[in-house]
Amino acid sequence: DDASRIAREALFREHLQGRAEGSVWHRLAVDGERHLVVFLQVDGMPLALMAEQPESEVFAAWRVRSLTGSIIT
């Protein structure tokens, strides 16, 4: 799946290395869209939790509010 592909890539390993948590924008080869990937290492375990969401979804609510506010004012 997409998340496991990201974890194997050098870019993600660079961002995760030495950090307990964080986020990175990453373009997935599957759809060509940038995704926000957030991660959190689990204390005391060789495990990192990871979640991702396409940029279009991350900013969807903001875009609607911005357009609505522009039309009303």
Side-chain angles (χ1 to χ4, degrees):
D1 69 345
D2 293 338
S4 62
R5 270 185 245 142
I6 293 171
R8 288 191 304 263
E9 292 185 24
L11 176 63
F12 184 77
R13 285 193 309 268
E14 288 173 16
H15 287 280
L16 180 61
Q17 186 174 10
R19 294 175 57 191
E21 60 185 46
S23 62
V24 61
W25 286 101
H26 186 75
R27 189 170 306 277
L28 294 181
V30 174
D31 60 7
E33 186 176 357
R34 284 180 8 133
H35 290 240
L36 177 60
V37 181
V38 295
F39 58 89
L40 172 68
Q41 286 189 316
V42 178
D43 288 338
M45 299 191 74
L47 175 69
L49 301 176
M50 182 173 38
E52 61 82 22
Q53 190 169 28
E55 182 177 31
S56 59
E57 291 180 29
V58 170
F59 294 112
W62 174 83
R63 286 186 182 111
V64 168
R65 285 193 307 272
S66 295
L67 290 173
T68 304
S70 297
I71 294 170
I72 293 173
T73 57

